[in-house]
Amino acid sequence: MEAVIIAVVVLVLLPVLSLVVMYNRFVRQRTLIDNSWAGVDVELTRRHDLIPNLVSTVQGYAAHEREVLASLVTAREAAVAQEKLPPAGREAAEETMGRSLAAVLARVEAYPDLKASTNFLDLQKQLTETEDRIAAARRFYNLNVGAFNTRVGTFPSNVVAGWFDFEKHPFFELSDAAARTVPQVSLG
């Protein structure tokens, strides 16, 4: 008789414990996704903050490049305006800003005095480091989203995900190849 009672208790407790473990893992993964997105957001904000300094530095040396600089300022403003959006809503603005930034940095090559400016060289270095950190943070975020989305879509986790409304998260992907790569700048 004892064996039957133990078997019944195990058969009841095992599914309940499995449910609790799966639920808690979903919560941990969702929190990890939120934290990794915060890392991407910090780096994007840092890039947004560096743009005005770059624009003012370049304006001092290359006043007739107003169109390219205006394009960068407009792209930055659009990206900043979308800072509260989820990843999928920010991709287009960030891509546009990345292309505008690359265009400004490409034009700088024609200005030897600007390339020799310590302020400009410092900004270039900071932008390059920031772009590297954005890429790393984006990879970390997408890795966490991929793991979470796999759990949402595979059995038996998908059953628990459905019961508790855990939904797939969007990746933060840049479709423009130029925006995905770190701008090449010469540091000296």
Side-chain angles (χ1 to χ4, degrees):
M1 189 59 142
E2 268 183 40
V4 172
I5 293 174
I6 291 173
V8 169
V9 168
V10 167
L11 288 175
V12 170
L13 283 182
L14 189 59
V16 170
L17 285 175
S18 295
L19 177 70
V20 169
V21 168
M22 281 191 254
Y23 177 84
N24 288 339
R25 188 167 175 206
F26 272 119
V27 170
R28 280 191 308 274
Q29 282 185 296
R30 183 179 57 199
T31 302
L32 186 58
I33 288 170
D34 292 342
N35 288 339
S36 57
W37 175 250
V40 173
D41 190 49
V42 163
E43 296 307 326
L44 291 173
T45 301
R46 176 176 164 73
R47 179 171 68 171
H48 299 164
D49 293 345
L50 288 171
I51 298 298
N53 295 334
L54 177 69
V55 169
S56 64
T57 301
V58 172
Q59 276 178 334
Y61 288 90
H64 62 282
E65 296 288 357
R66 291 189 197 285
E67 181 180 315
V68 176
L69 293 172
S71 172
L72 178 58
V73 169
T74 301
R76 177 198 177 267
E77 289 169 357
V80 168
Q82 296 180 355
E83 283 182 344
K84 301 294 183 213
L85 293 179
R90 293 180 64 176
E91 290 170 349
E94 293 299 335
E95 284 180 359
T96 300
M97 193 172 75
R99 282 191 305 274
S100 296
L101 179 58
V104 168
L105 293 175
R107 297 270 178 104
V108 163
E109 297 299 318
Y111 300 96
D113 291 343
L114 178 59
K115 286 174 36 177
S117 163
T118 56
N119 287 343
F120 181 73
L121 291 174
D122 183 50
L123 279 170
Q124 274 188 316
K125 182 179 179 196
Q126 288 182 51
L127 280 167
T128 300
E129 290 170 356
T130 300
E131 293 296 331
D132 287 342
R133 289 195 303 254
I134 289 170
R138 196 179 86 240
R139 282 191 303 272
F140 184 62
Y141 170 80
N142 285 337
L143 180 71
N144 290 320
V145 167
F148 182 86
N149 290 350
T150 298
R151 287 199 65 237
V152 168
T154 57
F155 183 80
S157 298
N158 64 343
V159 174
V160 174
W163 287 343
F164 294 102
D165 294 323
F166 289 105
E167 296 179 359
K168 290 185 175 186
H169 284 264
F171 287 98
F172 186 61
E173 297 179 315
L174 302 177
S175 59
D176 180 14
R180 258 184 284 163
T181 59
V182 176
Q184 297 300 313
V185 295
S186 58
L187 298 175

